[in-house]
Amino acid sequence: MDLVFRALADPTRRALLDALFEKDGQTLVGLTAGHDMTRIAVAKHLRLLEEAGLVVSRRHGREKRHYLNPIPIRLLYDRW
């Protein structure tokens, strides 16, 4: 749970989750286009979100697509 709270504490990571909520299955390039950050910065944020279980990544050919996983947030909600 600490990883989920840590991931949600940053407004940039919440914005990335919002972007995935609006359009799931985006690539790194697609997520970078919606934010004023470098691909490296977005990749670091995505890595933290993956470690918290909030984002799941899958490879489709040469692309890596990122999907929102709402289960950790739902577990927090159910707990309180």
Side-chain angles (χ1 to χ4, degrees):
M1 288 224 182
D2 290 340
L3 288 175
V4 175
F5 280 117
R6 180 176 160 214
L8 293 174
D10 186 275
T12 302
R13 289 191 283 271
R14 290 193 307 267
L16 289 171
L17 290 174
D18 287 339
L20 289 174
F21 179 74
E22 291 174 14
K23 183 182 176 193
D24 213 12
Q26 293 190 56
T27 63
L28 178 63
V29 174
L31 288 168
T32 303
H35 302 284
D36 189 28
M37 296 188 320
T38 64
R39 284 191 310 187
I40 294 170
V42 173
K44 287 181 181 181
H45 285 293
L46 284 172
R47 186 175 54 236
L48 282 170
L49 291 168
E50 284 184 58
E51 289 172 4
L54 294 166
V55 170
V56 176
S57 299
R58 293 207 173 92
R59 288 224 176 256
H60 293 279
R62 298 179 73 187
E63 293 182 334
K64 185 176 182 182
R65 298 203 172 261
H66 304 280
Y67 299 91
L68 177 64
N69 180 20
I71 293 172
I73 296 172
R74 183 63 189 196
L75 292 173
L76 287 173
Y77 176 80
D78 290 343
R79 182 175 175 179
W80 284 291

